[in-house]
Amino acid sequence: MKIIISNSSPIPIYEQIKNAIISQIMNDELASGESLPSIRNLASDIKISVMTIKKAYDELENEGYIIIRQGKGAFIAPKNTELAKEKAKKEIEDHIYKIIELSSKFNIEKKDILDLYEYLSGREE
């Protein structure tokens, strides 16, 4: 498992760890049932506080990405495709809001935006 931490990032370290693990799960680099390093081992490997790793693992468990079994460790949960789809929809929604904001700011018509979408997605008729 690869986790790269950026100390200069405005994103908290626990969130960087969480996002790195989620990314690896979504890209099938970490498979369902696969064990994660123990909190202590990961903390030691990437030179981060045990509490920071615990917070990342706790959030991953709360969001359904991992299962923590007392005394046995943390494991990748079965992939929830609906959860991944909802997350993707949310990200698309955020981008659409930015498009709306920019198009309003520069008086770009909705039709021009839709035409651009059709062209870029290869659905031009």
Side-chain angles (χ1 to χ4, degrees), residues 3 13-14 44 51 70 79 87 113 115 117:
I3 295 181
I13 292 173
Y14 79 90
S44 175
M51 293 308 296
Q70 200 65 27
K79 201 169 192 180
K87 191 170 181 130
I113 300 297
D115 288 346
Y117 170 81

Side-chain angles (χ1 to χ4, degrees), residues 38-48 50 53:
S38 71
I39 291 172
R40 289 181 207 271
N41 285 346
L42 184 56
S44 175
D45 288 349
I46 62 175
K47 315 255 185 292
I48 299 294
V50 168
I53 305 298

Side-chain angles (χ1 to χ4, degrees), residues 9-34:
S9 173
I11 299 170
I13 292 173
Y14 79 90
E15 201 168 322
Q16 290 181 51
I17 295 165
K18 181 179 94 166
N19 291 341
I21 293 171
I22 290 171
S23 175
Q24 290 176 52
I25 292 169
M26 293 302 157
N27 294 328
D28 293 324
E29 294 168 34
L30 293 173
S32 174
E34 189 172 336

Side-chain angles (χ1 to χ4, degrees), residues 14-125:
Y14 79 90
E15 201 168 322
Q16 290 181 51
I17 295 165
K18 181 179 94 166
N19 291 341
I21 293 171
I22 290 171
S23 175
Q24 290 176 52
I25 292 169
M26 293 302 157
N27 294 328
D28 293 324
E29 294 168 34
L30 293 173
S32 174
E34 189 172 336
S35 67
L36 291 174
S38 71
I39 291 172
R40 289 181 207 271
N41 285 346
L42 184 56
S44 175
D45 288 349
I46 62 175
K47 315 255 185 292
I48 299 294
S49 160
V50 168
M51 293 308 296
T52 302
I53 305 298
K54 180 166 178 12
K55 185 171 184 177
Y57 275 27
D58 285 347
E59 287 204 4
L60 286 164
E61 183 178 38
N62 289 338
E63 293 177 21
Y65 290 102
I66 67 172
I67 298 166
I68 298 176
R69 294 192 186 117
Q70 200 65 27
K72 295 194 184 238
F75 302 86
I76 304 300
K79 201 169 192 180
N80 183 340
T81 54
E82 278 306 307
L83 180 66
K85 190 174 184 177
E86 280 305 311
K87 191 170 181 130
K89 281 179 165 179
K90 174 65 175 122
E91 190 173 337
I92 291 168
E93 187 178 298
D94 292 343
H95 288 289
I96 290 172
Y97 279 125
K98 289 177 186 173
I99 291 167
I100 291 168
E101 184 180 310
L102 274 173
S103 62
S104 294
K105 182 177 180 179
F106 293 102
N107 294 320
I108 298 171
E109 298 289 324
K110 177 181 172 183
K111 182 187 180 324
D112 294 334
I113 300 297
L114 293 174
D115 288 346
L116 181 60
Y117 170 81
E118 295 294 328
Y119 175 76
L120 293 175
S121 67
R123 299 180 185 165
E124 191 174 28
E125 295 174 14

